[in-house]
């Protein structure tokens, strides 16, 4: 199905903001286990609703070991984000080193018309720029 609205929607209108936190209570450095929480706010600055369908993460530790994670939605949801609105969620990652980074992308669709199933709409990718995961004072 051809969707004219998807063609006029600029993926750059979807903003990504990330805040990370080291979780010492969930980490065990003696076993090379460093756990981090990340809170992501996805903002829709466009004039059409968008829906997040899936995610892809590349999680890299200080040894350049890369884990790839793919899945539907985020935290069990495939949120529809209205124009001028945002969706915020918190998730986590565990590394074998005290420093690493994550980057990835969201696969999204313009949810207009709403009565069309999202799988039948053209998708667009929203890149998630790399962000650091590190223990406090691990970076100078």
């Amino acid at each position: 199905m051809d969707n004219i609205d998807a063609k006029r929607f600029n993926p750059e209108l979807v903003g990504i903001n990330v805040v990370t936190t080291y979780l010492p209570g969930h980490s065990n450095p003696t076993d090379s286990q460093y756990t981090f929480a990340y809170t992501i706010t996805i903002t829709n600055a466009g004039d059409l609703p968008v829906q997040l369908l899936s995610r892809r993460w590349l999680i890299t530790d200080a040894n350049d070991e890369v884990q790839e994670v793919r899945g539907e939605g985020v935290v069990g949801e495939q949120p529809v984000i209205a124009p001028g609105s945002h969706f915020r969620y918190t998730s986590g990652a565990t590394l074998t080193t005290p420093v690493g980074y994550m980057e990835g992308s969201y696969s999204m669709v313009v949810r207009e018309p709403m009565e069309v199933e999202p799988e039948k709409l053209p998708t667009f990718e929203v890149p998630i720029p790399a962000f650091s995961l590190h223990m406090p004072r691990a970076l100078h």
Side-chain angles (χ1 to χ4, degrees):
M1 172 176 211
D2 190 32
N3 185 333
I4 198 76
D5 289 331
K7 291 179 180 170
R8 73 178 177 90
F9 188 86
N10 182 348
E12 293 178 8
L13 294 174
V14 177
I16 307 292
N17 183 54
V18 183
V19 176
T20 63
T21 307
Y22 174 64
L23 301 175
H26 294 272
S27 300
N28 189 345
T30 57
D31 288 337
S32 298
Q33 180 182 353
Y34 303 87
T35 302
F36 302 88
Y38 55 90
T39 299
I40 297 187
T41 304
I42 305 165
T43 304
N44 179 2
D47 59 357
L48 297 167
V50 296
Q51 183 173 14
L52 189 158
L53 297 183
S54 63
R55 70 193 182 287
R56 176 178 181 254
W57 287 113
L58 296 175
I59 307 167
T60 306
D61 68 17
N63 297 324
D64 285 329
E65 296 291 326
V66 179
Q67 302 173 54
E68 182 176 12
V69 177
R70 292 178 179 266
E72 287 189 3
V74 290
V75 295
E77 296 185 53
Q78 291 182 313
V80 174
I81 307 167
S85 188
H86 70 276
F87 177 79
R88 180 176 292 133
Y89 73 97
T90 300
S91 192
T94 300
L95 302 178
T96 59
T97 60
V99 176
Y101 67 94
M102 291 177 64
E103 61 187 325
S105 63
Y106 295 128
S107 181
M108 302 183 89
V109 295
V110 173
R111 285 300 274 139
E112 191 159 289
M114 286 296 286
E115 56 274 2
V116 175
E117 296 175 29
E119 299 79 29
K120 295 182 178 179
L121 296 170
T123 61
F124 62 92
E125 296 297 310
V126 175
I128 306 164
F131 57 90
S132 175
L133 302 170
H134 59 274
M135 290 177 60
R137 298 178 297 285
L139 299 178
H140 303 329

